[in-house]
Amino acid sequence: MSAPARAFTMRHVQLLRALFAAIAALMITFSSDHSAAVGLSVFSGFVFVSALAHVLAAWLVLPAGSRWSSILLAAVGVVAGMASGIPAWRSDDLFFIVVSGWALISGGIELLAGIRARRTGDLLARDAITVGALGILLAVVLLLIPAGFLQEYTIEKAGTFLLSGIILGVGMFGGYAAIVAVFLGIAGLTPKRVDADAVASDPDHSAASAEHGGER
């Protein structure tokens, strides 16, 4: 692999994913409209750009035997992004079907990849397991929200408001994106210390790691 390619590492992939998740979380947080149209619009953009990050990881960072999870995650993201990217299709039901389906499948893929990576002592295994588990948790939470849920609530001096299932669902996705952004942001900024410890304790291992994707 050429020197410019090695300059792009898994740390950069994590930071890219954190950035995209943070943008999605901010868009939902600061939007007063938590409808299916807004939720699916943000979700569509999020999964498309996240798919790009996975493609870059498979192309520039990961060795041949470890690319399967990134390729699958990119494919699932593209399909989910296409399904949610058509304005005429955006409805409450589509939001719950597409977002929960994407969260369950992508979370399962990343969780499995993390478990397999942990067996080989990969330092990134914990990150993959955590993000995968968060995806599965999002899917479960969305599936537990009752269809057609509506509830009025009153805030003193502010008025009466209506809480619906889609508002909860879009809010849950925003919360998921915020947690993933913080977790991957921290993970992307901290591996340098871990790598330095690995180099000091096992120079041969660090050289082998450089051949399999470079700095992580």
Side-chain angles (χ1 to χ4, degrees), residues 35-52:
S35 65
V38 172
L40 286 171
S41 177
V42 174
F43 171 77
S44 178
F46 167 70
V47 292
F48 270 133
V49 293
S50 296
L52 174 61

Side-chain angles (χ1 to χ4, degrees), residues 125-145:
R126 185 187 64 178
D127 300 338
I129 290 173
T130 302
V131 176
L134 286 172
I136 293 175
L137 179 61
L138 173 63
V140 172
V141 170
L142 291 177
L143 291 172
L144 290 176
I145 296 176

Side-chain angles (χ1 to χ4, degrees), residues 49-108:
V49 293
S50 296
L52 174 61
H54 290 303
V55 169
L56 290 175
W59 180 30
L60 297 176
V61 180
L62 298 172
S66 302
R67 294 172 183 161
W68 64 272
S69 60
S70 289
I71 292 172
L72 285 177
L73 287 169
V76 172
V78 169
V79 172
M82 292 176 64
S84 58
I86 301 175
W89 290 5
R90 290 171 180 166
S91 64
D92 293 5
D93 290 340
L94 184 69
F95 177 88
F96 285 102
I97 292 171
V98 172
V99 178
S100 60
W102 166 84
L104 183 62
I105 296 172
S106 63

Side-chain angles (χ1 to χ4, degrees), residues 109-199:
I109 292 170
E110 197 146 18
L111 180 61
L112 177 60
I115 293 173
R116 293 186 62 176
R118 185 171 61 180
R119 295 174 182 170
T120 64
D122 193 326
L123 294 174
L124 296 174
R126 185 187 64 178
D127 300 338
I129 290 173
T130 302
V131 176
L134 286 172
I136 293 175
L137 179 61
L138 173 63
V140 172
V141 170
L142 291 177
L143 291 172
L144 290 176
I145 296 176
F149 174 80
L150 289 172
Q151 181 175 333
E152 287 188 351
Y153 64 98
T154 301
I155 299 178
E156 188 177 353
K157 298 182 180 180
T160 299
F161 302 90
L162 185 65
L163 181 64
S164 65
I166 189 60
I167 292 175
L168 285 174
V170 173
M172 292 299 174
F173 170 66
Y176 159 83
I179 295 172
V180 169
V182 172
F183 180 81
L184 288 179
I186 294 173
L189 293 171
T190 54
K192 187 174 183 179
R193 178 179 59 79
V194 178
D195 291 342
D197 293 343
V199 170

